[in-house]
Amino acid sequence: MIENLPPIIKNFEGLKSKFGFPLYAYDSERIQSQYHKIRQAFDRSKLSIHFACKANSNIQILRLLKDLGAEVDVVSVNEGKLAELAGFRPEQIHYTPNGVQIDEYRVAIKRSYRISVDNLDIIQAISSENPGKELCIRINPSVMAGGHHKISVGHKRSKFGLPLDQLDEVRQLNENGRIKVTGLHIHTGSDIKDVEAIKKAALVLMDKAKLFLKHLNFLDFGGGYKVAYHKEDKASDIRSIGDWITKKIAAFDAKHQTQLSIVIEPGKYLVSEAGFFLAEVNQTKNVYGTSFVYINAGFNQFIRPMYYDAYHHITNLSNLKGAKKKVDVVGYLCENDNFAQDRFLPEPKAGDVLCFHNAGAY
């Protein structure tokens, strides 16, 4: 019902008049609520929340999160420059790329970003060019996690992360002063359903941290926390995750006489539920018993439903209480750009405005 939608979406006619459709619209109050929920879950003063910019690089969202106190995780120098435009200081920008050329690392170092590396060749090159450089090392914990195989990035066949059997060479560079490993980093996937997988990867991270106590000051537990996409779906229990990690780090500190900061890098969890994709119905058509609803958008503008077979709840803003009809919602591209199949909606007609929920990430 429209009563459950934020004011910005209730005013969809005003949005249409001012901007036209298709359009992404965001609820800033929802982003703030999710941010504070994470802050409260990790009951620890030494907590840094790094927004994963790849989830949504809208500069206004970056500015909002900066004002809330977040730092930012970027995967390219250009994302870093965008973060600077949003007001982040270089030391608040954490550069965590994968598979880029050494020249891009050089630019990031020159711009004074904090660097995370997951390739031994790159680590050795940086140690030669910048002796004593502070680095964060992203490891591959060999843990399968994520809501879809395309977003599971911590398993053994993944391209992400330094293999655990190469850590001894990094430890030697650290001990010899050629680099200073100030942080260790994992990220096992996105939309993680299994909390036990998060815990398993975290235990690997804390175990390997014992190799780098000399300069270590933070552990980055990544993100990937799940949000609910429909009524029967469940979100990650962020309170229990935060409580578990906080207690584990407190025990680690007590045992090893450290004072480590906890870093997490949520993306989807902060912005997904705050985003809405609005599109207008172009036409409808019946083909051999299937009722197609064509909207004025394609997967080039909203890729998740086709790329991940992802479910997004749809509201017909123009017809909230009408009789429901089973339809396929499709785009206007010359491919099978299906947004929803066999979906029951108050019957859409040409000119109606459809709202796709949970569209704020990726």
Side-chain angles (χ1 to χ4, degrees):
M1 297 296 292
I2 198 162
E3 291 80 6
N4 297 322
L5 293 168
I8 192 172
I9 304 303
K10 292 179 183 179
N11 185 33
F12 69 95
E13 292 288 2
L15 292 174
K16 178 181 176 180
S17 175
K18 187 173 182 179
F19 301 107
F21 294 147
L23 178 73
Y24 282 96
Y26 302 97
D27 177 16
S28 62
E29 290 186 2
R30 182 63 180 177
I31 296 173
Q32 294 176 69
S33 173
Q34 291 294 90
Y35 180 86
H36 292 307
K37 190 181 294 185
I38 292 175
R39 175 64 65 182
Q40 293 163 7
F42 290 79
D43 184 20
R44 187 177 176 88
S45 59
K46 298 182 72 174
L47 170 69
S48 291
I49 299 175
H50 298 175
F51 173 59
C53 181
K54 56 184 172 289
N56 192 319
S57 57
N58 183 298
I59 195 167
Q60 299 301 335
I61 290 176
L62 292 176
R63 286 172 176 156
L64 172 62
L65 287 164
K66 175 190 70 68
D67 291 343
L68 287 171
E71 299 186 21
V72 64
D73 170 89
V74 303
V75 295
S76 70
V77 166
N78 283 338
E79 279 190 354
K81 292 177 180 178
L82 182 63
E84 290 184 64
L85 287 174
F88 288 95
R89 301 188 305 275
E91 66 270 19
Q92 295 176 307
I93 299 172
H94 300 253
Y95 176 66
T96 62
N98 176 258
V100 302
Q101 294 180 341
I102 185 64
D103 284 348
E104 186 164 323
Y105 284 95
R106 292 178 180 131
V107 173
I109 291 170
K110 187 175 181 179
R111 298 185 79 87
S112 299
Y113 299 163
R114 297 173 71 176
I115 309 294
S116 182
V117 190
D118 69 349
N119 184 302
L120 186 59
D121 291 343
I122 299 294
I123 295 169
Q124 290 171 335
I126 291 174
S127 72
S128 297
E129 296 180 10
N130 301 271
K133 176 66 180 173
E134 292 186 358
L135 294 177
C136 175
I137 308 299
R138 177 174 176 174
I139 64 173
N140 181 323
S142 300
V143 173
M144 176 66 78
H148 190 281
H149 69 90
K150 292 181 180 178
I151 49 177
S152 298
V153 297
H155 54 86
K156 283 187 176 181
R157 288 295 303 273
S158 172
K159 66 175 184 172
F160 298 94
L162 188 79
L164 298 179
D165 59 10
Q166 294 180 10
L167 274 177
D168 191 57
E169 295 173 76
V170 179
R171 182 187 62 80
Q172 292 178 31
L173 292 172
N174 186 59
E175 292 296 322
N176 295 337
R178 292 184 60 190
I179 58 172
K180 292 181 180 178
V181 177
T182 56
L184 284 185
H185 173 203
I186 54 169
H187 179 63
T188 52
S190 181
D191 212 29
I192 300 173
K193 299 178 182 179
D194 183 6
V195 173
E196 292 307 311
I198 294 176
K199 293 179 179 180
K200 183 177 179 181
L203 290 173
V204 173
L205 182 70
M206 287 183 275
D207 179 61
K208 300 308 176 184
K210 293 181 287 187
L211 301 173
F212 299 98
L213 296 178
K214 186 175 183 179
H215 303 294
L216 198 68
N217 57 45
F218 71 90
L219 292 180
D220 186 338
F221 291 88
Y225 308 128
K226 179 172 172 46
V227 297
Y229 282 91
H230 51 82
K231 290 182 180 179
E232 290 74 32
D233 205 7
K234 291 184 179 180
S236 294
D237 186 347
I238 197 68
R239 171 65 72 177
S240 67
I241 294 170
D243 183 63
W244 185 87
I245 291 178
T246 300
K247 288 178 179 177
K248 287 294 182 181
I249 289 295
F252 187 98
D253 281 343
K255 182 175 182 178
H256 299 286
Q257 298 183 331
T258 53
Q259 292 185 322
L260 298 180
S261 295
I262 295 174
V263 173
I264 56 171
E265 50 184 54
K268 180 197 294 283
Y269 191 84
L270 288 172
V271 297
S272 181
E273 293 172 308
F276 301 84
F277 182 65
L278 306 178
E280 191 170 359
V281 176
N282 281 342
Q283 59 174 270
T284 62
K285 182 171 68 174
N286 292 316
V287 180
Y288 299 123
T290 299
S291 295
F292 288 102
V293 175
Y294 295 81
I295 61 174
N296 66 338
F299 73 83
N300 53 319
Q301 288 138 337
F302 186 33
I303 196 171
R304 291 195 80 255
M306 186 169 179
Y307 192 66
Y308 295 127
D309 297 319
Y311 174 94
H312 288 264
H313 182 68
I314 301 172
T315 298
N316 184 348
L317 297 176
S318 303
N319 180 14
L320 292 170
K321 299 181 179 180
K324 292 187 177 181
K325 181 178 181 179
K326 185 169 71 171
V327 299
D328 284 12
V329 180
V330 297
Y332 56 11
L333 298 182
C334 293
E335 294 188 45
N336 289 322
D337 52 346
N338 291 342
F339 291 99
Q341 289 184 294
D342 297 330
R343 190 73 60 90
F344 285 90
L345 298 175
E347 185 172 359
K349 294 182 172 59
D352 282 1
V353 176
L354 302 188
C355 173
F356 295 78
H357 297 242
N358 234 326
Y362 303 98

